[in-house]
Structures are given as C-alpha cells and as structure tokens.
Amino acid sequence: TQLLEQSPQFLSIQEGENLTVYCNSSSVFSSLQWYRQEPGEGPVLLVTVVTGGEVKKLKRLTFQFGDARKDSSLHITAAQPGDTGLYLCAGPSRDSNYQLIWGAGTKLIIKP
Amino acid sequence: DAMVIQNPRYQVTQFGKPVTLSCSQTLNHNVMYWYQQKSSQAPKLLFHYYDKDFNNEADTPDNFQSRRPNTSFCFLDIRSPGLGDTAMYLCATSRDGGGGHTGELFFGEGSRLTVL
C-alpha cells in the first residue's frame, strides 16, 4: 500500500521565520505534487517534481524531490501571512492512472 | 480565463433531502473528478469520468451518484444526505490519465454542503 506521511501536521510561526514541511513514503513515486489550499477554497497546484534530486523554486518556496523518489520537502523562506493554508502533497497511484495518493496535509498559520 | 466552476458555493439541506452540485470546466480536459473533503483532511476521491466512462471508487456510498452529460459539465447527486455527508465537495479536472502523466489536478473552489 502506498502511503504519504506529512509532517508536521500543524505549524504556527511568526512572519519572517523559515519553515520546512516534509512528505515521506516507503514507496517510490513517479512524481509528487504539492498543493496549497486556503480556507474555504479548492487546492491549487504549486509544483510537480518528477526527477530524483530535483529542486524547484517558486519565489520564496523551494521544493525538493528525494534522490530515491520516496520523499519531498517544501521549504518556505521568510514566511508571510499570505502563505497561511493547508499544504498537501500527492503522488500518482501505481494501481490507477486516475487515483492520487494524498498526504494528510500540513496546516500552516503565519502570524503577522 | 480557463477554469473550473462549481455551484453552489454553499448549500444547506435537511437530512434526507436530495442535493445536486454542479461543476463546469473550460479547460477541455477529458477527465473530471469529484472529491469529498472533511475539515482540513486530504480530499477523498468519490468517482471520476474519463470522457463518458464512469468509474466509481469501491468505498463510495451508493447514496452518491454522478452524471456527465457532456465534456464541460459534471453533476454530483446526493440522494438522501446524512449528517455525515457534511463536507466540502471538490470538482477537479486533469488532461489525461495515460501512462507517464503526472495526474496534476485543477480544482474548482468547492461546494460546502451542510446537512442539518
């Protein structure tokens, strides 16, 4: 069974601090996606990482895919209140072209 | 802008009173999904359409049905809502589920359903 474990489940920090969110599995994934979901809205795709060891940057957000394609991390530099939301990682199921395996999410609150 | 639009955004219904939620997309994606999401949890796939081919997840209750009359529209029907069906219902699309596709999803803003 493919599982994605996210940590921490909840994080509340002050504006300007740095943070890292982790998405780990014992299974290999062909790719992993990161979504951000603001309260009352649908998830929005931030990035897809495909190649082992890949690093992608989106302004203050840095995404990394582990060399073995079993884990990923999201690092936010100088967090801002606008970064508040639920961060979800997801990867394609090997059993279905249409099913995604989801992490449980990291609820992030950035206090001004 | 191309997008996924869900209606209504908020729906309150009584126990047992049928509800229909709608989703339309201008992305021309051939795959459409319905997800259920409860309070800050990961979305749970209910079913998906590949074009007109309907695929039900094994643990989706029979109370939930779906229709896709054309490429652009998809409906979620909850025949007899229970209190446990209170949730956010998310419609999503993707280009294709074929081999090598990463399965990136484009979500609507969601329909928040409350069953009283």
Side-chain angles (χ1 to χ4, degrees):
Chain A
T1 303
Q2 291 173 287
L3 293 173
L4 284 170
E5 295 182 356
Q6 281 188 246
S7 61
Q9 290 185 355
F10 179 79
L11 187 58
S12 178
I13 61 172
Q14 291 294 136
E15 180 177 4
E17 294 183 14
N18 302 332
L19 66 110
T20 302
V21 175
Y22 299 93
C23 177
N24 296 317
S25 178
S26 59
S27 304
V28 174
F29 281 86
S30 58
S31 64
L32 282 177
Q33 303 157 28
W34 285 92
Y35 294 83
R36 178 170 65 210
Q37 184 176 22
E38 296 184 15
E41 305 290 331
V44 175
L45 178 68
L46 295 174
V47 78
T48 300
V49 286
V50 179
T51 306
E54 182 177 10
V55 176
K56 283 190 173 179
K57 291 193 175 184
L58 187 66
K59 295 183 181 178
R60 293 174 294 99
L61 279 60
T62 302
F63 303 86
Q64 188 162 4
F65 201 14
D67 291 341
R69 291 185 288 131
K70 292 183 178 181
D71 55 85
S72 181
S73 63
L74 158 60
H75 181 79
I76 302 180
T77 303
Q80 298 179 0
D83 297 326
T84 292
L86 179 68
Y87 288 80
L88 294 157
C89 67
S93 167
R94 58 173 171 247
D95 298 326
S96 166
N97 284 334
Y98 308 101
Q99 175 71 276
L100 284 179
I101 307 299
W102 291 86
T106 294
K107 190 168 184 179
L108 177 63
I109 295 176
I110 309 299
K111 295 176 283 189
Chain B
D1 288 341
M3 54 200 310
V4 181
I5 301 170
Q6 292 187 240
N7 282 296
R9 291 291 312 279
Y10 302 93
Q11 176 76 57
V12 179
T13 191
Q14 291 182 333
F15 182 95
K17 188 173 181 182
V19 163
T20 294
L21 307 176
S22 74
C23 178
S24 65
Q25 57 127 342
T26 59
L27 296 162
N28 204 31
H29 286 170
N30 51 353
V31 191
M32 293 187 78
Y33 308 78
W34 280 105
Y35 280 87
Q36 180 192 64
Q37 186 182 31
K38 297 190 176 182
S39 187
S40 293
Q41 297 179 17
K44 177 180 180 299
L45 183 62
L46 296 174
F47 21 63
H48 76 271
Y49 280 91
Y50 186 100
D51 291 328
K52 288 221 165 199
D53 291 335
F54 175 73
N55 295 271
N56 202 29
E57 293 302 303
D59 57 355
T60 298
D62 292 339
N63 199 23
F64 291 82
Q65 303 286 318
S66 185
R67 297 169 281 137
R68 188 180 186 185
N70 55 54
T71 303
S72 301
F73 285 88
C74 198
F75 298 93
L76 171 61
D77 301 307
I78 309 175
R79 291 190 295 187
S80 182
L83 300 180
D85 297 329
T86 291
M88 173 79 92
Y89 290 87
L90 296 164
C91 175
T93 71
S94 68
R95 290 187 191 86
D96 195 276
H101 175 59
T102 56
E104 296 162 334
L105 298 179
F106 296 82
F107 284 90
E109 292 182 313
S111 293
R112 179 167 293 282
L113 175 67
T114 301
V115 183
L116 300 176

